[in-house]
Amino acid sequence: MSLTTAQRALVPTVRASLSTSTRSSRTLPFAALALSNIAASRRAFNTTQRNALPSGMGGGLIPPTYFQKPASLPMNTVVRFVPQQTAWIVERMGKFNRILQPGLAILIPFLDRIAYVKSLKEVAIEIPSQSAITADNVTLELDGVLYTRVFDAYKASYGVEDAEYAISQLAQTTMRSEIGQLTLDHVLKERAALNTNITQAINEAAQAWGVTCLRYEIRDIHAPKPVVDAMHRQVTAERSKRAEILDSEGQRQSAINIAEGQKQSAILASEAVGDAQAKTMARDALAKSGVIEAQETGNAPPAPEQTAA
């Protein structure tokens, strides 16, 4: 039996209790409490139906998050203990009254109601895959993870109806606009800058919702198969080009080294010939200088022509 059928089954009982309460005033608070519980259960059932919509990726159910009202809120039992890193929003007669901090809390029966329960922990929100077109008209499929945290439980409760849906849509639109300004090569190179820009854009809008975006990370980038094949060919051609350049540089350096060696060899050979000629000329000069000195002193041997005469 569904929740709606159960509510319909309780209506006659409540009406009977209300008619009986005119006879005894002491039964009136219990009837009002029963009506309040039925209204709360109806709101919880409507919220559950809204959350049980098929998701865009897997066709499953969207899990409830800390932004949305849970199926069952804590009841007013006068004395409550609030868990750590949790904020409870208390309404008194339908109007916001206060935020319960972790620890002991005292509530007024029938007047106070715990309307919202907010977790103050950091939560990861999965951003579903989406299409985006780069500046050079390449269609990409991207998905990411968004890390958020509630810093103001009041704004997170009354500032927006569904903060997770709003932040998810804002992250997707911001990602599309940022990627539309970059080419494919810059998208692959500037992931960190892209994540930072998306985080700043989300924080500017989410301040009024009481939620802060700590960081955004692009998880996967999927390009079309022809683009991937072209990128692979480009990488292969680039590596072949580098290999050919390195090969030609090696041959060039080898030829330069051989020519340099031949040059040095020729220089050394010419220097060796020059040294030999210089030594020969020096010996001839010394010999001539010795003959001249001997002729000047008269001790020089006779010339060959005189000896023959």
Side-chain angles (χ1 to χ4, degrees):
M1 183 169 58
S2 64
L3 183 60
T4 305
T5 307
Q7 291 176 0
R8 292 176 180 174
L10 287 175
V11 170
T13 304
V14 174
R15 289 178 179 175
S17 62
L18 287 176
S19 61
T20 308
S21 62
T22 56
R23 303 174 184 176
S24 177
S25 60
R26 289 182 296 180
T27 60
L28 181 59
F30 297 99
L33 180 60
L35 286 175
S36 177
N37 291 336
I38 290 177
S41 62
R42 181 176 299 174
R43 287 196 299 269
F45 180 69
N46 294 335
T47 304
T48 304
Q49 283 184 332
R50 186 174 64 252
N51 294 340
L53 296 176
S55 61
M57 292 300 298
L61 299 181
I62 302 176
T65 63
Y66 64 89
F67 292 111
Q68 302 167 345
K69 290 184 179 181
S72 60
L73 294 170
M75 295 184 61
N76 182 357
T77 57
V78 182
V79 178
R80 299 291 305 192
F81 296 96
V82 183
Q84 184 67 29
Q85 286 296 98
T86 305
W88 289 5
I89 309 298
V90 176
E91 293 180 353
R92 178 168 295 175
M93 293 183 293
K95 183 180 179 181
F96 170 77
N97 180 256
R98 67 187 187 276
I99 300 176
L100 300 181
Q101 301 299 326
L104 177 64
I106 305 298
L107 302 175
I108 299 177
F110 309 113
L111 298 181
D112 291 345
R113 182 177 69 90
I114 302 173
Y116 299 92
V117 174
K118 298 298 179 183
S119 174
L120 304 181
K121 301 176 183 179
E122 181 177 348
V123 176
I125 302 176
E126 182 178 0
I127 305 300
S129 179
Q130 60 177 329
S131 299
I133 301 176
T134 62
D136 50 354
N137 297 325
V138 177
T139 303
L140 301 178
E141 293 287 338
L142 305 97
D143 58 357
V145 180
L146 184 66
Y147 297 89
T148 60
R149 185 175 60 196
V150 173
F151 69 90
D152 191 333
Y154 177 83
K155 292 182 179 179
S157 301
Y158 300 102
V160 64
E161 180 65 26
D162 191 345
E164 181 189 0
Y165 177 77
I167 289 179
S168 176
Q169 294 300 313
L170 181 60
Q172 294 180 19
T173 54
T174 305
M175 180 188 296
R176 291 192 187 100
S177 62
E178 290 292 336
I179 290 178
Q181 302 174 6
L182 302 175
T183 61
L184 177 60
D185 294 338
H186 286 84
V187 169
L188 299 177
K189 292 178 182 178
E190 300 179 1
R191 259 191 174 186
L194 187 61
N195 293 337
T196 302
N197 294 337
I198 295 175
T199 303
Q200 292 177 355
I202 294 175
N203 283 329
E204 291 177 0
Q207 291 296 321
W209 303 336
V211 181
T212 180
C213 177
L214 302 178
R215 58 191 177 277
Y216 180 85
E217 297 292 339
I218 296 177
R219 188 166 55 185
D220 293 323
I221 298 178
H222 301 285
K225 190 176 184 302
V227 176
V228 175
D229 295 339
M231 293 173 63
H232 289 169
R233 291 196 301 269
Q234 181 181 358
V235 171
T236 303
E238 186 67 23
R239 293 187 179 276
S240 300
K241 175 184 174 182
R242 292 180 183 178
E244 292 178 359
I245 290 175
L246 291 176
D247 188 16
S248 62
E249 286 290 337
Q251 295 179 1
R252 175 175 173 270
Q253 191 65 35
S254 175
I256 289 174
N257 292 339
I258 292 174
E260 191 70 26
Q262 293 176 354
K263 176 182 175 182
Q264 293 294 334
S265 176
I267 291 174
L268 293 176
S270 63
E271 289 179 355
V273 173
D275 291 341
Q277 292 178 355
K279 290 179 181 180
T280 303
M281 293 175 63
R283 284 198 300 270
D284 294 342
L286 290 174
K288 290 181 180 179
S289 63
V291 173
I292 293 172
E293 290 178 357
Q295 289 178 355
E296 291 178 353
T297 56
N299 298 325
E305 294 82 358
Q306 297 177 359
T307 307

